[in-house]
Amino acid sequence: LIGSKHAQRVLDRMNGAETRPATQKTVMQVFRAMINHAVSAGYRETGITLPKVSGKAGVKRVLSPEEVNTLIRSSKEVVSEEFSRLITTLYLSGLRIGELVALRTSDIDLQAHHITIARRYYGKIQTIPIHPELVQVLREQMIEASNNKVSELLFTNSNGTVLSPRSVRETMKKVANIAMEDSTGVTPHALRRSIASTLVDSNLPIDSVADY
């Protein structure tokens, strides 16, 4: 039977993925409705105590350039060169993890220096600039991806099919735990915040940062 520990496990997973508190509360409401229905239908005798959603989800970590370099270097040593390129791409592109795993080689235009992505949150197609330091990384990964006969995705799992965002988060956490003194809040989305912070610190105009 579904119990408090299952609800807590779901909440912990959402915190790890930095899910918004409003979304967490909605999920807990669904849990409550399920349990109430189970009680009224006679499948269980009593309800359960649901865990409380905190005011904020997860730790809003911003990594320094030095910490990002440590993560990239260690990704190559602990996992693979391809995973190191994935982390570099996440950071320098500012892409969300869902956007990265859906990225195709045809979405990348190295000559025009831009990446085309579908911003599903806003229902529109958008082009973002390619950071100068990312050009060679993308070129190398596109060569690697050209050997994939299953799909034209830029990054894939060992079967040549789409990567799971969860597996990326877990692998990234594994690397962070090994390589960093404090791995709290080191997530794919933390890299997105970190590049924004780095670009602002480098005096890039806010409207240009918003392009990411």
Side-chain angles (χ1 to χ4, degrees):
L1 290 178
I2 294 176
S4 300
K5 64 179 181 180
H6 300 98
Q8 185 63 59
R9 194 177 303 158
V10 170
L11 187 58
D12 290 343
R13 185 172 297 173
M14 287 192 292
N15 274 324
E18 299 184 334
T19 307
R20 293 183 305 169
T23 303
Q24 294 186 14
K25 289 178 181 178
T26 298
V27 172
M28 288 301 108
Q29 288 170 358
V30 172
F31 254 102
R32 186 177 301 281
M34 289 170 55
I35 296 302
N36 290 342
H37 177 73
V39 172
S40 63
Y43 291 114
R44 58 181 304 141
E45 295 180 1
T46 60
I48 64 173
T49 301
L50 292 174
K52 292 184 178 180
V53 175
S54 61
K56 59 181 181 179
V59 177
K60 304 301 187 209
R61 179 77 177 270
V62 175
L63 304 176
S64 68
E66 293 76 21
E67 288 176 319
V68 173
N69 286 336
T70 295
L71 190 64
I72 291 171
R73 184 177 62 253
S74 298
S75 292
K76 181 178 180 179
E77 296 170 352
V78 176
V79 187
S80 67
E81 187 169 351
E82 182 170 357
F83 194 74
S84 176
R85 289 195 291 264
L86 183 150
I87 296 298
T88 303
T89 303
L90 266 177
Y91 175 61
L92 292 177
S93 69
L95 290 176
R96 297 174 176 85
I97 182 60
E99 294 167 344
L100 181 81
V101 298
L103 196 63
R104 301 166 299 176
T105 54
S106 58
D107 296 327
I108 301 167
D109 190 332
L110 293 180
Q111 289 189 328
H113 280 74
H114 69 240
I115 298 172
T116 302
I117 54 171
R119 295 285 193 192
R120 62 185 179 85
Y121 299 98
Y122 308 108
K124 65 179 183 180
I125 303 297
Q126 182 178 352
T127 58
I128 61 171
I130 296 178
H131 192 287
E133 294 178 20
L134 185 55
V135 173
Q136 184 57 31
V137 174
L138 289 176
R139 182 175 287 115
E140 292 174 0
Q141 186 57 32
M142 289 174 75
I143 293 173
E144 183 76 21
S146 66
N147 297 319
N148 183 3
K149 306 304 181 185
V150 179
S151 73
E152 62 165 352
L153 292 169
L154 183 65
F155 293 100
T156 64
N157 59 25
S158 58
N159 297 322
T161 55
V162 65
L163 271 172
S164 157
R166 179 182 175 184
S167 70
V168 174
R169 292 190 187 97
E170 290 177 348
T171 304
M172 184 175 171
K173 189 64 176 177
K174 170 187 172 183
V175 174
N177 286 338
I178 293 173
M180 304 174 70
E181 260 186 49
D182 180 12
S183 61
T184 306
V186 178
T187 65
H189 204 74
L191 293 175
R192 178 174 165 81
R193 285 193 297 271
S194 301
I195 188 59
S197 175
T198 299
L199 292 173
V200 169
D201 289 344
S202 65
N203 296 319
L204 191 71
I206 294 296
D207 57 345
S208 296
V209 176
D211 287 341
Y212 285 81

